[in-house]
Amino acid sequence: MFVTAYLAFIVLVGLVVALEITARRLASSQTTQTAVANPAFRRFQNLFLKVYLLALWADWLQGPYLYKLYRHYNFLESQIAILYVCGLGSSVLFSPVAGWLPQFLGRRQTCVLFCVAYSICCLTKLSQEYFMLILGRVLGGLSTSLLTTTFESWYVHGHIEVNDFPKEWIPVTFSKVANWNHGLAVAAGLVANLFAEWLGLGPVAPFLLAIPSLAVCAWFVIFEWGRENSEGSHGDKNGPLLNPFNAAKLQTTARARFWRSCLDGLRCLLSDRRVMLLGGVQALFESVLYIFVFLWTPVLDPHGPPLGIVFSSLMAASMAGSTLFRLATSPPYRLQPGHLLCLAVLLAFFSFFMLTFSTVPGQPRPRESLLAFLLLELACGLYFPAVSFLQGRVIPVERRAVVLAWFRLPLHLLACLGLLALHGEVSGTGAGEAGSGTRHMFIGCATMMLAALLAVVSLFTVGRNDADLRLEGTRLEGELEI
């Protein structure tokens, strides 16, 4: 497995480089060229990117060795499952708070709060006390919620309200973030492997390595990001905390606006069948991914692969899928995102189907399991841009954030139930039978992917002649080319 992991990594990196070169030759966007030519936009974009990418780097460093660390502290798989459930539950609880905090504290202050909370989360990994590790998972859930909302909120506010750049330039920046994000994930696996295994510092090393990155990130936020024009949502430059009356009024207004937006989002979800089906696909697919994040390490680690290299290989496979999506939807091919979404779900189903055979207790086949995991990550690379495109077409912009929050509720619930089911099955078996719980979980994941595939087919049926679900400039079914 040691040689297999390195060979897979080399092959995948070569594939990614070849695909990226081809994609860049085909890419040509006038909007992108105009935005890049604007020096003020480039300065603002670079100011955002160096901060946000540091935050993403610190997050990715913690991916390869989280499960390994808990096993290093001699916790049982059932206990580790509860730790993961605490992290997921924390994300659910703090998601509304993460959306409200920037309005109350200010965007910059909330970004600093992210850096502090995530640093404390990393420090808790030094403790072998179960309660401290649970606290770390709770802080990790808060930090993840802030990471996915606050930094982007600061950028969009500065882009539109402060600098008055065209809204059409926003995707230019986030497309660049997506490209860098994949590269950071691959590099994070290599660096984590270097410190944890090559230098022999153990699985806690990547978590400690993330703290300096978070400190530098906070420093840039404090000293290089300019003070926002409105720290509070009411526009008072002195901030809401300096005036108790304004603070109370702001809280009441924010709560009323929050509940009103929640109800509007629920109405949007229930009134449009396309939105419901898309939400069902997202809940099923992404909840299974949370279970995969928990299970890939215990499946492969007993066979001795370098976990950091395996993690980098998985991220490279995801990067290859994302680049394939860009190629497939480019003018020479013009494949529809809906068809690519169907392909992604089908690949994921096939991956879990493979895993039900490669994880038979007493007869493990780790190379087949690694191949299945790589196929799953390739499917993820296709899935996320495809589902993002469809969400942008069927969900109104003003309600997108709250509708996606409604999507995440069943998503996290399904993931938590799956991990709790695994916890119960592992707790009730002997050490020699524990592997059956993993295999049963993969069977359940394959079933959920089959349900997601049925939801995608239903979405095709509903939107067969729906222009919103297709790329611009392509013909609908039944239309004649003139």
Side-chain angles (χ1 to χ4, degrees):
M1 279 299 292
F2 186 89
V3 175
T4 302
Y6 276 97
L7 183 61
F9 175 72
I10 293 170
V11 170
L12 284 165
V13 168
L15 176 63
V16 166
V17 171
L19 289 173
E20 189 65 29
I21 291 173
T22 306
R24 292 195 177 192
R25 285 177 179 173
L26 294 174
S28 60
S29 170
Q30 186 61 41
T31 301
T32 301
Q33 293 171 0
T34 305
V36 170
N38 186 304
F41 172 76
R42 290 182 62 184
R43 284 194 300 271
F44 177 68
Q45 184 187 66
N46 291 334
L47 182 64
F48 168 72
L49 286 176
K50 69 181 179 182
V51 173
Y52 191 37
L53 293 179
L54 274 171
L56 291 172
W57 170 255
D59 185 49
W60 282 122
L61 278 173
Q62 301 174 56
Y65 287 93
L66 181 60
Y67 187 98
K68 179 75 172 182
L69 178 68
Y70 295 145
R71 289 297 296 166
H72 181 71
Y73 290 157
N74 295 318
F75 290 111
L76 301 175
E77 185 172 334
S78 57
Q79 294 174 306
I80 299 173
I82 293 297
L83 288 171
Y84 274 74
V85 168
C86 289
L88 290 174
S90 174
S91 296
V92 174
L93 292 175
F94 285 121
S95 288
V97 177
W100 172 75
L101 274 178
Q103 303 177 39
F104 187 66
L105 294 180
R107 298 171 186 86
R108 284 199 315 151
Q109 289 87 336
T110 310
C111 291
V112 174
L113 175 63
F114 158 81
C115 296
V116 173
Y118 224 3
S119 296
I120 297 173
C121 169
C122 293
L123 286 173
T124 61
K125 302 299 188 293
L126 290 170
S127 173
Q128 299 187 33
E129 294 292 330
Y130 198 64
F131 174 77
M132 288 298 296
L133 294 175
I134 288 178
L135 176 62
R137 292 297 295 167
V138 171
L139 289 174
L142 169 62
S143 303
T144 302
S145 299
L146 294 176
L147 177 63
T148 56
T149 56
T150 307
F151 288 88
E152 294 184 9
S153 174
W154 181 90
Y155 176 80
V156 172
H157 176 267
H159 184 104
I160 297 174
E161 302 296 334
V162 179
N163 293 286
D164 196 27
F165 294 132
K167 292 182 179 180
E168 293 77 13
W169 292 1
I170 292 178
V172 175
T173 297
F174 289 114
S175 175
K176 186 172 288 189
V177 168
N179 292 335
W180 274 99
N181 194 32
H182 281 111
L184 286 175
V186 174
L190 296 176
V191 172
N193 193 81
L194 170 65
F195 280 84
E197 299 189 27
W198 292 356
L199 298 181
L201 299 179
V204 75
F207 298 93
L208 299 181
L209 191 62
I211 296 176
S213 299
L214 292 166
V216 175
C217 179
W219 190 91
F220 281 137
V221 170
I222 293 170
F223 294 104
E224 293 203 11
W225 280 11
R227 178 170 289 278
E228 297 167 278
N229 290 339
S230 69
E231 289 292 314
S233 62
H234 63 301
D236 184 358
K237 293 183 180 181
N238 293 324
L241 298 179
L242 298 181
N243 188 326
F245 176 76
N246 283 345
K249 183 178 179 181
L250 173 64
Q251 292 181 38
T252 303
T253 304
R255 281 196 296 268
R257 186 164 58 247
F258 171 74
W259 287 114
R260 185 165 58 249
S261 65
C262 286
L263 290 175
D264 289 342
L266 185 59
R267 291 192 195 99
C268 177
L269 176 62
L270 297 177
S271 62
D272 191 334
R273 193 180 175 192
R274 300 174 306 169
V275 179
M276 289 188 66
L277 289 170
L278 200 57
V281 174
Q282 182 175 353
L284 290 165
F285 192 100
E286 296 183 27
S287 62
V288 164
L289 292 186
Y290 280 111
I291 298 172
F292 154 72
V293 167
F294 174 80
L295 288 175
W296 75 267
T297 305
V299 168
L300 298 179
D301 189 44
H303 307 283
L307 294 180
I309 300 301
V310 172
F311 182 84
S312 293
S313 300
L314 294 172
M315 295 301 102
S318 178
M319 189 174 184
S322 179
T323 310
L324 277 173
F325 178 87
R326 286 162 50 202
L327 279 170
T329 54
S330 61
Y333 308 106
R334 303 295 283 176
L335 295 181
Q336 295 302 323
H339 297 158
L340 295 173
L341 177 63
C342 184
L343 176 62
V345 177
L346 190 61
L347 275 175
F349 168 75
F350 181 68
S351 300
F352 285 109
F353 185 74
M354 285 178 60
L355 287 164
T356 61
F357 293 97
S358 64
T359 57
V360 175
Q363 299 175 347
R365 295 195 286 272
R367 289 180 178 82
E368 287 83 349
S369 295
L370 176 60
L371 176 60
F373 289 147
L374 293 174
L375 284 176
L376 178 59
E377 283 293 343
L378 180 69
C380 291
L382 290 168
Y383 163 82
F384 282 106
V387 80
S388 178
F389 173 89
L390 295 174
Q391 287 171 350
R393 291 302 186 92
V394 302
I395 305 175
V397 175
E398 64 276 7
R399 294 179 184 152
R400 190 171 303 161
V402 68
V403 170
L404 294 181
W406 279 110
F407 285 178
R408 284 191 289 271
L409 283 177
L411 186 162
H412 287 95
L413 180 61
L414 287 171
C416 288
L417 290 175
L419 291 174
L420 287 173
L422 180 64
H423 162 264
E425 186 159 0
V426 172
S427 298
T429 61
E433 303 172 352
S436 62
T438 299
R439 183 169 184 261
H440 293 163
M441 187 56 61
F442 285 138
I443 292 173
C445 290
T447 303
M448 292 172 67
M449 280 300 176
L450 186 59
L453 187 61
L454 293 175
V456 173
V457 172
S458 298
L459 182 63
F460 286 164
T461 303
V462 171
R464 182 182 295 112
N465 294 312
D466 192 339
D468 288 339
L469 302 181
R470 303 177 67 86
L471 292 171
E472 296 178 2
T474 56
R475 291 181 293 120
L476 299 176
E477 184 176 320
E479 287 184 340
L480 296 176
E481 188 173 8
I482 300 176

mmCIF file of all heavy atoms in Angstrom, residues 248-271:
data_model
loop_
_atom_site.group_PDB
_atom_site.id
_atom_site.type_symbol
_atom_site.label_atom_id
_atom_site.label_comp_id
_atom_site.label_asym_id
_atom_site.label_seq_id
_atom_site.Cartn_x
_atom_site.Cartn_y
_atom_site.Cartn_z
ATOM 1 N N ALA A 248 -29.835 46.958 21.381
ATOM 2 C CA ALA A 248 -31.079 46.221 21.622
ATOM 3 C C ALA A 248 -31.992 46.292 20.406
ATOM 4 O O ALA A 248 -32.613 45.293 20.005
ATOM 5 C CB ALA A 248 -31.787 46.800 22.848
ATOM 6 N N LYS A 249 -32.055 47.470 19.806
ATOM 7 C CA LYS A 249 -32.890 47.632 18.613
ATOM 8 C C LYS A 249 -32.363 46.778 17.468
ATOM 9 O O LYS A 249 -33.138 46.144 16.736
ATOM 10 C CB LYS A 249 -32.898 49.108 18.210
ATOM 11 C CG LYS A 249 -33.796 49.415 17.016
ATOM 12 C CD LYS A 249 -33.775 50.903 16.713
ATOM 13 C CE LYS A 249 -34.644 51.224 15.500
ATOM 14 N NZ LYS A 249 -34.603 52.676 15.185
ATOM 15 N N LEU A 250 -31.015 46.735 17.328
ATOM 16 C CA LEU A 250 -30.405 45.937 16.272
ATOM 17 C C LEU A 250 -30.703 44.461 16.464
ATOM 18 O O LEU A 250 -31.031 43.752 15.510
ATOM 19 C CB LEU A 250 -28.889 46.175 16.257
ATOM 20 C CG LEU A 250 -28.076 45.294 15.311
ATOM 21 C CD1 LEU A 250 -28.462 45.553 13.873
ATOM 22 C CD2 LEU A 250 -26.586 45.518 15.527
ATOM 23 N N GLN A 251 -30.603 43.973 17.707
ATOM 24 C CA GLN A 251 -30.860 42.562 17.970
ATOM 25 C C GLN A 251 -32.297 42.189 17.627
ATOM 26 O O GLN A 251 -32.556 41.141 17.038
ATOM 27 C CB GLN A 251 -30.554 42.238 19.432
ATOM 28 C CG GLN A 251 -29.084 42.319 19.792
ATOM 29 C CD GLN A 251 -28.844 41.954 21.240
ATOM 30 O OE1 GLN A 251 -29.465 41.069 21.783
ATOM 31 N NE2 GLN A 251 -27.920 42.659 21.868
ATOM 32 N N THR A 252 -33.253 43.050 18.033
ATOM 33 C CA THR A 252 -34.661 42.778 17.740
ATOM 34 C C THR A 252 -34.920 42.751 16.239
ATOM 35 O O THR A 252 -35.587 41.851 15.708
ATOM 36 C CB THR A 252 -35.552 43.848 18.400
ATOM 37 O OG1 THR A 252 -35.301 43.872 19.802
ATOM 38 C CG2 THR A 252 -37.018 43.548 18.155
ATOM 39 N N THR A 253 -34.367 43.758 15.535
ATOM 40 C CA THR A 253 -34.541 43.822 14.083
ATOM 41 C C THR A 253 -33.899 42.630 13.397
ATOM 42 O O THR A 253 -34.458 42.047 12.465
ATOM 43 C CB THR A 253 -33.932 45.129 13.545
ATOM 44 O OG1 THR A 253 -34.511 46.236 14.219
ATOM 45 C CG2 THR A 253 -34.179 45.257 12.050
ATOM 46 N N ALA A 254 -32.694 42.257 13.858
ATOM 47 C CA ALA A 254 -31.974 41.132 13.241
ATOM 48 C C ALA A 254 -32.738 39.828 13.449
ATOM 49 O O ALA A 254 -32.826 39.004 12.536
ATOM 50 C CB ALA A 254 -30.566 41.027 13.822
ATOM 51 N N ARG A 255 -33.304 39.637 14.664
ATOM 52 C CA ARG A 255 -34.072 38.415 14.918
ATOM 53 C C ARG A 255 -35.302 38.346 14.031
ATOM 54 O O ARG A 255 -35.613 37.293 13.460
ATOM 55 C CB ARG A 255 -34.469 38.340 16.398
ATOM 56 C CG ARG A 255 -33.358 37.869 17.322
ATOM 57 C CD ARG A 255 -33.936 37.460 18.659
ATOM 58 N NE ARG A 255 -34.554 38.584 19.352
ATOM 59 C CZ ARG A 255 -33.920 39.369 20.218
ATOM 60 N NH1 ARG A 255 -32.648 39.139 20.485
ATOM 61 N NH2 ARG A 255 -34.547 40.355 20.814
ATOM 62 N N ALA A 256 -36.018 39.484 13.918
ATOM 63 C CA ALA A 256 -37.220 39.500 13.074
ATOM 64 C C ALA A 256 -36.860 39.228 11.613
ATOM 65 O O ALA A 256 -37.543 38.458 10.920
ATOM 66 C CB ALA A 256 -37.923 40.848 13.206
ATOM 67 N N ARG A 257 -35.780 39.851 11.155
ATOM 68 C CA ARG A 257 -35.361 39.636 9.776
ATOM 69 C C ARG A 257 -34.919 38.189 9.558
ATOM 70 O O ARG A 257 -35.177 37.593 8.500
ATOM 71 C CB ARG A 257 -34.228 40.603 9.431
ATOM 72 C CG ARG A 257 -33.817 40.563 7.971
ATOM 73 C CD ARG A 257 -32.976 41.775 7.574
ATOM 74 N NE ARG A 257 -31.791 41.885 8.385
ATOM 75 C CZ ARG A 257 -31.562 42.865 9.269
ATOM 76 N NH1 ARG A 257 -32.472 43.810 9.446
ATOM 77 N NH2 ARG A 257 -30.442 42.912 9.959
ATOM 78 N N PHE A 258 -34.253 37.615 10.554
ATOM 79 C CA PHE A 258 -33.780 36.239 10.448
ATOM 80 C C PHE A 258 -34.955 35.276 10.292
ATOM 81 O O PHE A 258 -34.968 34.431 9.394
ATOM 82 C CB PHE A 258 -32.947 35.890 11.679
ATOM 83 C CG PHE A 258 -32.591 34.432 11.787
ATOM 84 C CD1 PHE A 258 -31.627 33.878 10.972
ATOM 85 C CD2 PHE A 258 -33.244 33.609 12.702
ATOM 86 C CE1 PHE A 258 -31.304 32.545 11.060
ATOM 87 C CE2 PHE A 258 -32.929 32.268 12.801
ATOM 88 C CZ PHE A 258 -31.948 31.737 11.979
ATOM 89 N N TRP A 259 -35.977 35.400 11.182
ATOM 90 C CA TRP A 259 -37.117 34.477 11.113
ATOM 91 C C TRP A 259 -37.931 34.696 9.841
ATOM 92 O O TRP A 259 -38.436 33.745 9.250
ATOM 93 C CB TRP A 259 -38.002 34.648 12.350
ATOM 94 C CG TRP A 259 -37.374 34.090 13.587
ATOM 95 C CD1 TRP A 259 -36.954 34.778 14.684
ATOM 96 C CD2 TRP A 259 -37.079 32.714 13.849
ATOM 97 N NE1 TRP A 259 -36.402 33.932 15.609
ATOM 98 C CE2 TRP A 259 -36.474 32.656 15.128
ATOM 99 C CE3 TRP A 259 -37.262 31.528 13.130
ATOM 100 C CZ2 TRP A 259 -36.054 31.463 15.695
ATOM 101 C CZ3 TRP A 259 -36.844 30.341 13.698
ATOM 102 C CH2 TRP A 259 -36.243 30.308 14.964
ATOM 103 N N ARG A 260 -38.023 35.945 9.407
ATOM 104 C CA ARG A 260 -38.765 36.212 8.168
ATOM 105 C C ARG A 260 -38.046 35.583 6.969
ATOM 106 O O ARG A 260 -38.678 34.990 6.088
ATOM 107 C CB ARG A 260 -38.914 37.722 7.970
ATOM 108 C CG ARG A 260 -39.779 38.093 6.764
ATOM 109 C CD ARG A 260 -40.207 39.559 6.819
ATOM 110 N NE ARG A 260 -39.073 40.456 6.875
ATOM 111 C CZ ARG A 260 -38.753 41.185 7.960
ATOM 112 N NH1 ARG A 260 -39.480 41.095 9.061
ATOM 113 N NH2 ARG A 260 -37.723 41.991 7.929
ATOM 114 N N SER A 261 -36.715 35.707 6.944
ATOM 115 C CA SER A 261 -35.962 35.116 5.839
ATOM 116 C C SER A 261 -36.035 33.589 5.874
ATOM 117 O O SER A 261 -36.087 32.933 4.822
ATOM 118 C CB SER A 261 -34.496 35.575 5.879
ATOM 119 O OG SER A 261 -33.844 35.081 7.037
ATOM 120 N N CYS A 262 -36.071 33.002 7.086
ATOM 121 C CA CYS A 262 -36.209 31.545 7.201
ATOM 122 C C CYS A 262 -37.532 31.076 6.609
ATOM 123 O O CYS A 262 -37.584 30.074 5.877
ATOM 124 C CB CYS A 262 -36.094 31.109 8.662
ATOM 125 S SG CYS A 262 -34.424 31.173 9.334
ATOM 126 N N LEU A 263 -38.625 31.783 6.933
ATOM 127 C CA LEU A 263 -39.940 31.401 6.405
ATOM 128 C C LEU A 263 -39.999 31.588 4.901
ATOM 129 O O LEU A 263 -40.564 30.755 4.181
ATOM 130 C CB LEU A 263 -41.028 32.231 7.094
ATOM 131 C CG LEU A 263 -41.275 31.917 8.568
ATOM 132 C CD1 LEU A 263 -42.302 32.888 9.157
ATOM 133 C CD2 LEU A 263 -41.749 30.473 8.742
ATOM 134 N N ASP A 264 -39.403 32.687 4.386
ATOM 135 C CA ASP A 264 -39.378 32.907 2.935
ATOM 136 C C ASP A 264 -38.601 31.796 2.232
ATOM 137 O O ASP A 264 -38.999 31.322 1.162
ATOM 138 C CB ASP A 264 -38.746 34.263 2.616
ATOM 139 C CG ASP A 264 -39.641 35.422 3.019
ATOM 140 O OD1 ASP A 264 -40.850 35.196 3.210
ATOM 141 O OD2 ASP A 264 -39.129 36.553 3.159
ATOM 142 N N GLY A 265 -37.479 31.390 2.837
ATOM 143 C CA GLY A 265 -36.698 30.316 2.245
ATOM 144 C C GLY A 265 -37.445 28.996 2.230
ATOM 145 O O GLY A 265 -37.384 28.237 1.249
ATOM 146 N N LEU A 266 -38.187 28.712 3.318
ATOM 147 C CA LEU A 266 -38.975 27.478 3.384
ATOM 148 C C LEU A 266 -40.085 27.493 2.341
ATOM 149 O O LEU A 266 -40.366 26.474 1.693
ATOM 150 C CB LEU A 266 -39.550 27.303 4.785
ATOM 151 C CG LEU A 266 -40.299 25.999 5.053
ATOM 152 C CD1 LEU A 266 -39.380 24.802 4.823
ATOM 153 C CD2 LEU A 266 -40.864 25.987 6.475
ATOM 154 N N ARG A 267 -40.729 28.644 2.155
ATOM 155 C CA ARG A 267 -41.774 28.750 1.131
ATOM 156 C C ARG A 267 -41.190 28.511 -0.258
ATOM 157 O O ARG A 267 -41.797 27.834 -1.096
ATOM 158 C CB ARG A 267 -42.432 30.130 1.180
ATOM 159 C CG ARG A 267 -43.280 30.385 2.416
ATOM 160 C CD ARG A 267 -44.115 31.644 2.256
ATOM 161 N NE ARG A 267 -44.652 32.070 3.533
ATOM 162 C CZ ARG A 267 -44.135 33.025 4.293
ATOM 163 N NH1 ARG A 267 -43.049 33.676 3.882
ATOM 164 N NH2 ARG A 267 -44.679 33.354 5.444
ATOM 165 N N CYS A 268 -40.015 29.084 -0.512
ATOM 166 C CA CYS A 268 -39.349 28.887 -1.799
ATOM 167 C C CYS A 268 -39.037 27.411 -2.017
ATOM 168 O O CYS A 268 -39.211 26.876 -3.116
ATOM 169 C CB CYS A 268 -38.074 29.726 -1.859
ATOM 170 S SG CYS A 268 -37.095 29.513 -3.360
ATOM 171 N N LEU A 269 -38.600 26.740 -0.958
ATOM 172 C CA LEU A 269 -38.250 25.323 -1.046
ATOM 173 C C LEU A 269 -39.473 24.457 -1.333
ATOM 174 O O LEU A 269 -39.428 23.543 -2.161
ATOM 175 C CB LEU A 269 -37.578 24.894 0.264
ATOM 176 C CG LEU A 269 -37.210 23.424 0.428
ATOM 177 C CD1 LEU A 269 -36.201 23.011 -0.620
ATOM 178 C CD2 LEU A 269 -36.651 23.172 1.824
ATOM 179 N N LEU A 270 -40.590 24.760 -0.674
ATOM 180 C CA LEU A 270 -41.785 23.928 -0.797
ATOM 181 C C LEU A 270 -42.604 24.239 -2.048
ATOM 182 O O LEU A 270 -43.377 23.399 -2.504
ATOM 183 C CB LEU A 270 -42.669 24.097 0.447
ATOM 184 C CG LEU A 270 -42.038 23.633 1.774
ATOM 185 C CD1 LEU A 270 -42.987 23.923 2.929
ATOM 186 C CD2 LEU A 270 -41.698 22.154 1.722
ATOM 187 N N SER A 271 -42.440 25.434 -2.599
ATOM 188 C CA SER A 271 -43.279 25.841 -3.729
ATOM 189 C C SER A 271 -42.700 25.454 -5.083
ATOM 190 O O SER A 271 -43.407 25.510 -6.088
ATOM 191 C CB SER A 271 -43.491 27.365 -3.703
ATOM 192 O OG SER A 271 -42.247 28.037 -3.830
#
